[in-house]
Amino acid sequence: MYVHVSDQAIVRAKDIIAIIDIASAELCTDFLQANERSVVHSRRQNAKSMVITEQTIYFSSYSSANIKKKVLVGSVGKSR
């Protein structure tokens, strides 16, 4: 299953490692600096959440709760 994590990015749900609220993400400054090459700068200033995969860090204008809901609804629908 694929999840829209931003206006410009779609990610496989099984590749998502973490979905973090941007308010919490500010505590992760060292992590972001160490992984700067992996960051997708899609509207970072308007971001509400950060989605981390093994290869990439996405900044999303969607709330972390909204993205988590998309993942959970997709996984429930898949099991039927």
Side-chain angles (χ1 to χ4, degrees):
M1 182 188 117
Y2 290 87
V3 178
H4 282 91
V5 296
S6 73
D7 293 337
Q8 302 172 351
I10 299 172
V11 177
R12 286 191 321 188
K14 71 178 190 173
D15 292 341
I16 296 174
I17 296 171
I19 303 168
I20 302 171
D21 187 272
I22 202 70
S24 301
E26 291 185 22
L27 301 174
C28 303
T29 306
D30 294 337
F31 173 78
L32 290 172
Q33 288 174 349
N35 294 287
E36 188 65 31
R37 290 184 180 181
S38 301
V39 174
V40 174
H41 292 283
S42 175
R43 298 183 180 143
R44 188 172 179 173
Q45 67 276 5
N46 297 330
K48 294 180 183 174
S49 64
M50 182 171 68
V51 178
I52 301 172
T53 67
E54 189 147 343
Q55 301 289 325
T56 311
I57 300 168
Y58 298 92
F59 286 92
S60 176
S61 59
Y62 304 139
S63 70
S64 57
N66 188 341
I67 297 171
K68 289 176 188 177
K69 183 177 172 183
K70 291 179 185 184
V71 172
L72 291 174
V73 168
S75 65
V76 169
K78 189 176 182 179
S79 66
R80 289 182 177 176

